[in-house]
Amino acid sequence: MPIDATKSYDDSNIFARILRGEIPSKTVYEDEHALAFHDINPQAPIHVLVIPKGAYVSWDDFSERASAEEIAGFVRAVGKVAREAGLVEPGYRLLANTGRNSGQEVPHLHVHIFGGRPLGPMLA
Ligand code: AMP
């Protein structure tokens, strides 16, 4: 069921639980602002999720409420994860689903990083 991105943050969501260490994830990177881990159901040979440490429902919520420091830290983390995975030369795709029409399932902002093969058309 896609989430309603206009709702307030619910800290029982699965990524909040990963951030609190209540459930495991396959971490690939962590710093003050961001955590990156492998998607549990990968859609490409490399499929990593990057989430901010702050409590933000979606890209909309984050871009409106996060501090300049949080935004810079998160954006740099996404770039660093892709770079360290060796994805710059072959290329990669970023995706941040937001709300109902996008199919966003988890109500904590996450950027998908896809790579490892030609990714085909932008939308299926
Ligand atoms: P979205 O549809 O953009 O909200 O994407 C949610 C993503 O979270 C999907 O690609 C799921 O496979 C992934 N996911 C859900 N639960 C977990 C989990 N426990 N660990 C890693 N990835 C997860």
Side-chain angles (χ1 to χ4, degrees), residues 67-79:
S67 68
E69 191 187 348
E70 287 175 295
I71 291 171
F74 181 67
V75 170
R76 285 203 190 277
V78 173

Side-chain angles (χ1 to χ4, degrees), residues 1-122:
M1 236 329 238
I3 65 123
D4 179 346
T6 67
K7 291 262 167 70
S8 57
Y9 189 80
D10 172 1
D11 71 3
S12 67
N13 77 77
I14 194 140
F15 293 169
R17 297 182 64 202
I18 286 175
L19 279 172
R20 291 195 296 268
E22 293 169 5
I23 56 170
S25 68
K26 290 188 179 168
T27 302
V28 299
Y29 177 77
E30 181 167 14
D31 67 19
E32 184 188 349
H33 294 291
L35 177 71
F37 51 91
H38 291 286
D39 195 289
I40 205 166
N41 183 24
Q43 305 296 310
I46 296 173
H47 184 176
V48 173
L49 302 173
V50 190
I51 67 175
K53 290 208 165 163
Y56 299 101
V57 174
S58 68
W59 185 264
D60 177 69
D61 189 24
F62 185 69
S63 61
E64 185 173 54
R65 292 197 302 110
S67 68
E69 191 187 348
E70 287 175 295
I71 291 171
F74 181 67
V75 170
R76 285 203 190 277
V78 173
K80 185 168 186 177
V81 169
R83 198 175 309 118
E84 290 185 352
L87 292 177
V88 176
E89 190 278 327
Y92 62 95
R93 182 172 293 160
L94 302 180
L95 177 72
N97 288 319
T98 303
R100 196 176 57 245
N101 274 355
S102 75
Q104 182 183 359
E105 296 275 355
V106 179
H108 182 114
L109 170 62
H110 46 287
V111 169
H112 299 254
I113 301 175
F114 299 106
R117 64 166 166 78
L119 293 166
M122 190 150 51

